[in-house]
């Protein structure tokens, strides 16, 4: 059964069509003002403009056409021609029963599933992850959950940065530290020792050392560049080292992402597509897609109507190296061969806008993809209280692991202050603190439209009051607890009969789940679902204070209210899940 809003839209659509007017003008949406009828249709005004007639008169014709419909209890025309609609009680009852009995809590599956590739996370081997990677991970993960839930065929790929200058830096620095390792022999040919010569802490130590030295010293930079070029040309000892670096990093990253509750189908990296590069470059040269410019092979992508000048994408440098754009193009080929996505979403910082524009245009020019099949899902920055990009006290980049640890620590304090999760045992308390801490940072990130910059403020994020992740977890826990109480008292959910205003408002909130999901997917931004979860929790809280379950006058009312609570919990938990959050059973 469609949502009440969609049922009304279909009715009004018919009415518009019967007057030879576009069906879409019959779209019905929840009323913007409270205290009025719950739904409105604003189509009479544009329709009257088209038909060159009076909008109120036209609205009256629509109202006449739907008169007596069983779905509608009341209809009135307001202002210049707004049509305000009140659904019939039976519509609320039927819809509530449907949501209560549906595993998907009333959100429909898509009837046009697509194959969607999501490229997100994007950490770099050796370089620590920072808040930009957090945003990408939280947003990308929620998007993959949403798309899968609605029925698309989704593959997610972490797309590790494991192919650029940072690998040359690592090799150079390791060589300086341990020159006797066999990997540095010019004639090294394996076998590759199984034991990696470094662990993750070594990697985290070596990279900043090398990058600092390269900044201060041109010769050092040159050494790293040469090592990168030799690696890319296939020098066996360096390839062996690269494989070690990648394996060590992946092990550590998997732990971090598991802890964050973020999943990737593919753990591929830039280096995986290296074998595709020579043939791709050759093909581009043959077809005139790539052109020679100052010894480098480039793809011109500027268009006449561009407002700002876009430099060409550098495919191969004059030194023979492949760059970030090269691996991104080869990755498009790889994905096409293995999955053939209809749509690829790149969930990456807005700062990389030019890069993606170059890559997308180059891919289109080379005929690798249809126009519009590649999309940069960009996002804004996370700032400190000073309004500048979040930094550590010593001015460095904020590391993801530290950020998460501090959120969990703050959540733990909050729980203690509020006397929550107090009698559940130390282990369970720690588990709850982790859920609350993660929910705090994830919700704070997702509740803004993605291009908004926001201030990282753990005090606000971890509060149990206001529009926060912890508030929503607490709301879910409360519903769980009152349902346990009802079960203990022998009450069973039963037929829903919507009586009180608060019950009706709760059903209206429940009714909007599917459209919140559609909006989140259309905008590639889950903030619509955050808004939905928050309104649902608020509607429930009003419902519950006006309509207690155990104190209800009769058994039928108890059963009806309990069924509403159960439907709410299911939808709230699904919403949390789609946002990458999880509520404990108690706290
Ligand atoms: N590793 C990159 C970075 O840290 C992000 C990768 C994004 N994905 C892509 N296909 N380029 O900035």
């Amino acid at each position: 059964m469609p949502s009440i809003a969609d049922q009304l839209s279909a009715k009004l659509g018919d009415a518009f069509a019967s007057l030879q007017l576009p069906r879409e003008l019959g779209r019905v949406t929840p009323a913007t003002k409270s205290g009025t009828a719950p739904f409105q249709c604003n189509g009479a005004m544009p329709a009257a403009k088209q038909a060159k007639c009076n909008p109120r008169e036209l609205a009256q014709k629509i109202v006449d056409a739907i008169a007596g419909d069983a779905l509608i209890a009341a209809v009135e025309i307001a202002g210049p021609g707004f049509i305000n609609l009140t659904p019939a009680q039976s519509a609320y009852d039927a819809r509530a029963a449907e949501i209560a009995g549906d595993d998907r809590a009333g959100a429909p599956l898509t009837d046009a599933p697509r194959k969607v590739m999501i490229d997100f996370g994007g950490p770099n081997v050796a370089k620590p992850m920072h808040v930009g990677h957090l945003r990408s991970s939280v947003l990308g993960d929620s998007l993959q959950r949403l798309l899968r839930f609605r029925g698309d065929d989704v593959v997610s790929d972490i797309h590790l940065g494991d192919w650029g200058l940072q690998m040359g830096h690592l090799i150079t620095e390791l060589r300086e530290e341990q020159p006797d390792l066999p990997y540095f022999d010019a004639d090294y040919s394996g076998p590759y020792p199984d034991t990696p010569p470094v662990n993750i802490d070594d990697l985290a130590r070596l990279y900043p050392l090398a990058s600092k030295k390269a900044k201060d010293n041109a010769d050092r930079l040159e050494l790293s560049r040469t090592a990168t070029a030799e690696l890319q040309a296939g020098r066996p000892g360096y390839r062996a080292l690269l494989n070690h670096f990648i394996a060590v990093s992946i092990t550590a990253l998997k732990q971090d992402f598991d802890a964050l509750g973020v999943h990737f189908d593919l753990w591929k990296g830039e280096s995986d597509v290296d074998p595709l590069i020579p043939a791709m470059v050759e093909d581009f040269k043959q077809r005139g897609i790539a052109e020679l410019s100052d010894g480098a092979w480039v793809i011109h992508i500027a268009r006449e109507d561009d407002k700002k000048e876009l430099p060409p994408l550098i495919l191969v440098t004059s030194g023979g190296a492949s760059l970030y754009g090269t691996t991104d193009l080869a990755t498009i080929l790889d994905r096409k061969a293995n999955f053939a996505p209809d749509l690829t979403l790149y969930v990456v910082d807005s700062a990389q806008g030019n890069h993606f524009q170059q890559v997308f245009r180059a891919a289109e020019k080379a005929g690798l993809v249809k126009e519009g099949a590649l999309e940069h899902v960009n996002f804004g920055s996370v700032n400190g209280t000073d309004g500048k990009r979040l930094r550590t006290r010593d001015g460095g980049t904020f590391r993801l692991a530290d950020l998460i640890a501090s959120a969990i620590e703050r959540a733990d304090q909050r729980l203690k202050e509020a006397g929550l999760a107090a009698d559940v045992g130390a282990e369970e308390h720690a588990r709850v603190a982790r859920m609350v801490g993660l929910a705090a940072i994830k919700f704070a990130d997702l509740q803004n439209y993605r291009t908004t910059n926001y201030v990282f403020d753990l005090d606000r994020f971890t509060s149990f009051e206001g529009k926060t992740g912890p508030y929503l977890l607490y709301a879910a826990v409360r519903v769980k607890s009152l349902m346990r109480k009802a079960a203990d008292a022998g009450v069973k959910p039963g037929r829903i009969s919507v009586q009180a205003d608060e019950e009706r408002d709760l059903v209206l909130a429940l009714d909007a789940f599917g459209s919140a999901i559609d909006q989140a997917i259309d905008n590639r931004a889950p903030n619509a679902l955050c808004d939905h979860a928050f309104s649902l929790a608020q509607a429930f809280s009003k419902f519950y204070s006006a309509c207690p379950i155990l104190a209800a006058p009769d058994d039928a009312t108890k059963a009806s209210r309990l069924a509403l609570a159960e439907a709410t919990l299911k939808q709230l938990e699904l919403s949390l899940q789609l946002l990458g959050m999880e509520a404990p059973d108690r706290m």
Side-chain angles (χ1 to χ4, degrees):
M1 172 194 298
S3 67
I4 299 178
D6 286 348
Q7 295 175 50
L8 290 170
S9 295
K11 284 271 169 331
L12 277 274
D14 287 348
F16 276 87
S18 74
L19 299 172
Q20 271 73 51
L21 290 163
R23 186 173 282 282
E24 309 80 69
L25 291 178
R27 226 183 109 68
V28 170
T29 50
T32 42
K33 270 189 288 180
S34 62
T36 58
F39 291 100
Q40 67 189 52
C41 170
N42 305 340
M45 281 82 77
K49 208 168 191 178
Q50 247 180 54
K52 296 199 176 44
C53 63
N54 178 305
R56 275 194 77 104
E57 278 167 23
L58 194 136
Q60 188 57 51
K61 284 189 189 149
I62 301 290
V63 168
D64 293 343
I66 56 173
D69 194 286
L71 183 65
I72 300 163
V75 52
E76 62 170 22
I77 301 168
F82 295 104
I83 303 172
N84 295 338
L85 298 143
T86 306
Q89 144 111 37
S90 58
Y92 290 108
D93 290 353
R95 180 71 180 138
E98 152 113 359
I99 294 170
D102 177 16
D103 285 346
R104 306 177 52 79
L109 274 168
T110 177
D111 45 21
R114 301 166 295 181
K115 286 163 91 175
V116 186
M117 181 87 216
I118 307 194
D119 176 316
F120 76 99
N124 300 312
V125 165
K127 294 199 230 174
M129 281 195 278
H130 51 73
V131 281
H133 296 111
L134 172 72
R135 277 209 96 169
S136 173
S137 303
V138 168
L139 178 58
D141 184 53
S142 179
L143 289 176
Q144 74 167 332
R145 289 166 186 258
L146 280 157
L147 289 163
R148 262 193 201 111
F149 180 69
R150 203 174 63 172
D152 285 323
D153 182 5
V154 181
V155 171
S156 55
D157 179 14
I158 191 165
H159 200 72
L160 285 181
D162 60 2
W163 196 235
L165 185 62
Q166 78 263 34
M167 306 320 293
H169 278 325
L170 280 180
I171 293 171
T172 312
E173 192 60 32
L174 184 63
R175 179 170 202 164
E176 199 166 288
E177 250 188 26
Q178 300 184 56
D180 296 334
L181 285 173
Y183 306 97
F184 302 115
D185 297 346
D187 56 358
Y188 177 86
S189 62
Y192 301 160
D194 286 340
T195 334
V198 287
N199 61 31
I200 189 68
D201 295 330
D202 295 327
L203 289 184
R205 180 174 51 79
L206 291 169
Y207 175 75
L209 268 178
S211 101
K212 180 160 186 330
K213 285 184 193 165
K215 241 179 228 137
D216 302 342
N217 177 340
D219 291 342
R220 255 313 276 264
L221 179 59
E222 203 40 46
L223 276 182
S224 293
R225 286 229 171 96
T226 310
T228 311
E230 286 181 330
L231 167 72
Q232 293 189 351
R235 182 169 162 163
Y238 288 5
R239 287 297 312 208
L241 274 178
L242 175 82
N243 291 342
H244 280 313
F245 295 158
I246 293 174
V248 163
S249 290
I250 287 186
T251 308
L253 285 168
K254 279 200 167 144
Q255 273 177 4
D256 288 350
F257 280 108
D258 271 353
L260 199 59
V262 169
H263 158 90
F264 299 93
D265 299 318
L266 300 178
W267 282 77
K268 289 200 166 185
E270 294 179 39
S271 70
D272 282 300
V273 296
D274 163 54
L276 303 179
I277 291 177
M280 177 183 82
V281 170
E282 199 42 48
D283 170 52
F284 288 178
K285 286 182 188 171
Q286 296 271 326
R287 290 195 288 134
I289 305 287
E291 292 165 61
L292 205 51
S293 161
D294 290 334
W297 286 93
V298 305
I299 303 180
H300 291 286
I301 44 108
R303 289 176 191 166
E304 275 197 0
D305 52 350
D306 283 344
K307 291 209 182 62
K308 60 174 186 201
E309 208 177 320
L310 272 177
L313 178 144
I314 301 173
L315 196 63
V316 186
T317 67
S318 55
S322 53
L323 299 185
Y324 190 34
T326 323
T327 52
D328 260 326
L329 286 171
T331 302
I332 293 170
L333 282 177
D334 184 51
R335 290 172 179 167
K336 195 173 165 179
N338 291 310
F339 180 53
D342 304 311
L343 175 69
T344 303
L345 303 178
Y346 295 83
V347 186
V348 188
D349 197 324
S350 296
Q352 296 194 25
N354 281 350
H355 166 73
F356 284 109
Q357 193 155 28
Q358 287 180 321
V359 170
F360 296 175
R361 284 193 181 180
E364 275 175 31
K365 182 170 179 173
L368 309 185
V369 291
K370 286 204 203 96
E371 213 182 306
L374 306 173
E375 240 184 78
H376 180 197
V377 177
N378 60 335
F379 53 80
S381 61
V382 184
N383 298 333
T385 32
D386 59 358
K388 299 206 187 94
R389 263 178 198 258
L390 195 64
R391 305 254 166 225
T392 55
R393 272 196 203 103
D394 54 17
T397 343
F398 223 114
R399 295 179 60 164
L400 187 55
D402 298 341
L403 220 142
I404 293 171
S406 57
I408 294 173
E409 196 184 298
R410 191 75 192 89
D412 180 59
Q413 276 174 18
R414 286 273 190 183
L415 286 167
K416 286 182 177 136
E417 282 160 22
L420 292 170
D423 45 11
V424 291
E427 203 176 305
E428 179 61 12
H429 179 89
R431 208 177 69 93
V432 174
R434 159 171 289 281
M435 287 181 185
V436 173
L438 290 182
I441 39 181
K442 288 186 183 185
F443 191 84
D445 192 288
L446 295 174
Q447 68 148 313
N448 300 294
Y449 179 66
R450 61 185 155 76
T451 53
T452 315
N453 304 335
Y454 70 90
V455 172
F456 194 84
D457 179 354
L458 269 186
D459 274 341
R460 200 157 51 79
F461 299 172
T462 55
S463 169
F464 282 102
E465 275 151 44
K467 194 172 173 185
T468 68
Y471 165 80
L472 288 178
L473 296 201
Y474 188 65
V477 167
R478 263 189 56 191
V479 190
K480 290 186 191 189
S481 125
L482 64 91
M483 283 178 55
R484 275 194 302 267
K485 279 190 198 126
D488 290 346
V491 180
K492 288 199 174 58
R495 221 185 98 85
I496 297 176
S497 167
V498 175
Q499 306 288 343
D501 285 354
E502 290 81 4
E503 291 177 310
R504 194 203 55 206
D505 289 346
L506 178 59
V507 176
L508 287 173
L510 288 164
D511 191 48
F513 186 40
S515 76
I517 288 176
D518 288 346
Q519 208 183 322
I521 291 179
D522 289 350
N523 295 337
R524 328 288 192 225
N527 60 316
L529 184 59
C530 293
D531 292 347
H532 172 76
F534 185 62
S535 333
L536 180 64
Q538 284 191 310
F540 183 81
S541 145
K542 286 191 188 135
F543 153 79
Y544 192 63
S545 45
C547 310
I549 297 175
L550 293 181
D554 54 71
D555 287 351
T557 310
K558 285 182 193 168
S560 167
R561 289 179 182 172
L562 182 59
L564 277 174
E566 199 174 55
T568 304
L569 179 62
K570 183 165 49 181
Q571 202 182 80
L572 189 56
E573 285 203 292
L574 263 177
S575 304
L576 293 176
Q577 222 177 69
L578 293 171
L579 297 169
M581 297 156 51
E582 193 193 344
D585 285 333
R586 294 159 209 272
M587 70 185 187

